[in-house]
């Protein structure tokens, strides 16, 4: 495809773009199997992942998603330039050590590494048909197995129904393991909003915020899929006791939530609108957690929400 002129290039549909990339990479890597497959991601987002598997190479085969490359193509980047980037990613990753799949098949090994994540139940109808989960309000706790792969750091494997059947366990069994593992492997972190703003802006923004208007960000130590900390025992109760009030929980995204005292002057319906507006304008579609606010009841330890979306 390198000889195609710009007019013909601009006529390529996304499907044609994927086909050309696959064919060109196959020609450049004659002894590799190159495929493009549709991959179901969180919030039922579907992406097209290109995989390159060389005979005798690593059994780790990360997908290179083509949607972002197609956007670059539409903005003038050449096919040849895009293919060079894809090949450089492949060359960088191909020497990585292989993963011990035999260990992964062993439930005793996997059980110590199972963690949960929180996702929207309504936005993941297709995904939740393929993976085990435990409902939590209008959300769902799904499961991943943390694995150490040299060169890839703390990688993880999404647990599918086939894995659960292979291990001979159930969704409740996965959840029981995750309740023990997740706080230990991914400990919670709470920062005040003033601290977060100061870190982001490199200044002293927010330091004079009145105590009765304090806001906090809850995530895990890695800052990745930290909204699951809502399920950690004692975390919400500890903060509620500290501020002496119930808590409003504003879903920032799947990576964290904002917590604030639920006091009389706050309009829950207004908070709902803010969450929806932020989701529409600023949050990546794969990372939206919820469109409304939750409330933690200090006295009972319950989390509630208004399914009608008009406040608590």
């Amino acid at each position: 495809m390198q000889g195609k002129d710009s007019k013909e290039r601009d006529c390529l549909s996304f499907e044609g773009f994927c086909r050309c990339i696959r064919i060109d990479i196959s020609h450049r890597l004659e002894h590799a199997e190159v495929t493009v497959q549709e991959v179901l991601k969180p919030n039922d987002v579907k992406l097209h992942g290109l995989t390159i598997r060389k005979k005798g190479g690593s059994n780790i085969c990360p997908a290179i998603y083509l949607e972002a490359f197609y956007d670059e193509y539409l903005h003038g980047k050449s096919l040849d330039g895009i293919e060079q980037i894809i090949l450089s990613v492949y060359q960088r990753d191909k020497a990585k050590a292989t993963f011990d799949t035999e260990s992964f098949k062993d439930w005793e090994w996997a059980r110590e590494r199972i963690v949960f994540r929180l996702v929207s139940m309504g936005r993941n109808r297709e995904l939740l048909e393929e993976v085990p989960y435990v409902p939590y309000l209008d959300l769902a706790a799904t499961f991943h197995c943390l694995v150490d792969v040299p060169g890839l750091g703390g990688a993880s494997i999404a647990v599918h129904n086939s894995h659960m059947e292979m291990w001979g366990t159930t969704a409740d069994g996965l959840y029981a393991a995750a309740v023990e593992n997740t706080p230990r492997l991914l400990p919670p972190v709470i920062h005040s909003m003033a601290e977060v703003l100061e870190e982001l802006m490199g200044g002293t923004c927010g330091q004079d915020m009145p105590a009765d208007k304090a806001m906090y960000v809850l995530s895990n130590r890695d800052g990745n899929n930290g909204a699951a900390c809502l399920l950690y025992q004692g975390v919400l109760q500890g903060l509620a006791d500290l501020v002496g009030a119930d808590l409003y929980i504003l879903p920032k995204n799947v990576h964290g939530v904002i917590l604030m005292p639920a006091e009389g002057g706050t309009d829950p319906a207004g908070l709902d609108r803010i969450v929806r507006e932020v989701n529409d304008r600023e949050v990546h579609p794969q990372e939206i957690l919820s469109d409304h606010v939750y409330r933690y009841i200090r006295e009972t330890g319950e989390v509630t929400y208004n399914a009608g979306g008009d406040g608590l």
Side-chain angles (χ1 to χ4, degrees), residues 252-253 278-289:
K252 184 170 175 280
N253 51 38
V278 171
N279 283 342
D280 289 342
R281 295 199 311 261
E282 300 180 20
V283 183
H284 190 284
Q286 285 182 237
E287 298 183 345
I288 294 173
L289 179 63

Side-chain angles (χ1 to χ4, degrees), residues 59-305:
N59 62 2
I60 299 292
C61 191
I64 301 171
Y65 296 108
L66 298 179
E67 277 75 6
F69 287 115
Y70 185 62
D71 186 62
E72 292 188 34
Y73 165 78
L74 292 178
H75 286 83
K77 195 170 188 67
S78 68
L79 283 171
D80 183 67
I82 289 171
E83 290 159 8
Q84 290 293 345
I85 295 174
I86 290 173
L87 286 170
S88 68
V89 172
Y90 166 69
Q91 295 296 337
R92 182 193 68 198
D93 291 345
K94 73 174 183 177
K96 304 270 173 73
T98 59
F99 169 62
D100 183 1
T101 55
E102 290 305 312
S103 292
F104 180 72
K105 295 177 184 178
D106 179 6
W107 170 237
E108 294 304 316
W109 180 91
R111 176 163 50 188
E112 300 299 316
R113 296 162 172 82
I114 299 296
V115 298
F116 49 55
R117 296 180 178 179
L118 270 183
V119 300
S120 163
M121 191 175 296
R123 292 176 181 269
N124 287 276
R125 297 186 187 280
E126 288 188 57
L127 180 66
L128 294 178
E129 291 179 2
E130 300 180 4
V131 303
Y133 67 95
V134 171
Y136 177 73
L137 303 173
D138 62 335
L139 307 174
T142 60
F143 305 99
H144 278 67
C145 182
L146 300 184
V147 296
D148 293 323
V149 180
L152 290 180
S156 67
I157 298 174
V159 176
H160 283 69
N161 292 329
S162 58
H163 300 139
M164 179 176 65
E165 294 167 4
M166 174 183 70
W167 290 326
T169 188
T170 63
D172 287 340
L174 290 166
Y175 187 76
V179 165
E180 294 185 8
N181 297 335
T182 316
R184 172 175 57 85
L185 298 173
L186 300 168
V189 176
I190 297 179
H191 291 294
S192 71
M193 185 63 76
E195 292 173 321
V196 172
L197 291 174
E198 184 175 357
E199 181 178 347
L200 288 175
M201 304 180 71
T204 58
C205 178
Q207 286 187 339
D208 297 327
M209 183 182 294
D212 62 342
K213 298 297 183 182
M215 299 174 68
Y216 303 85
V217 176
L218 169 65
S219 186
N220 58 35
R221 182 179 57 193
D222 295 345
N224 187 30
N225 289 287
C229 293
L230 288 176
L231 300 178
Y232 292 8
Q233 185 174 6
V235 170
L236 295 177
Q237 187 66 47
L239 182 60
D241 289 342
L242 179 66
V243 300
D246 293 356
L247 300 174
Y248 284 130
I249 304 168
L250 286 70
K252 184 170 175 280
N253 51 38
V254 296
H255 303 303
V257 298
I258 296 172
L259 306 174
M260 59 183 292
E263 298 175 334
T266 304
D267 174 21
L271 294 178
D272 270 346
R273 287 192 295 272
I274 291 172
V275 169
R276 289 193 294 270
E277 290 172 3
V278 171
N279 283 342
D280 289 342
R281 295 199 311 261
E282 300 180 20
V283 183
H284 190 284
Q286 285 182 237
E287 298 183 345
I288 294 173
L289 179 63
S290 173
D291 282 326
H292 52 253
V293 173
Y294 303 84
R295 181 168 182 151
Y296 179 77
I297 310 299
R298 180 189 180 198
E299 184 176 347
T300 65
E302 294 179 285
V303 176
T304 65
Y305 75 103

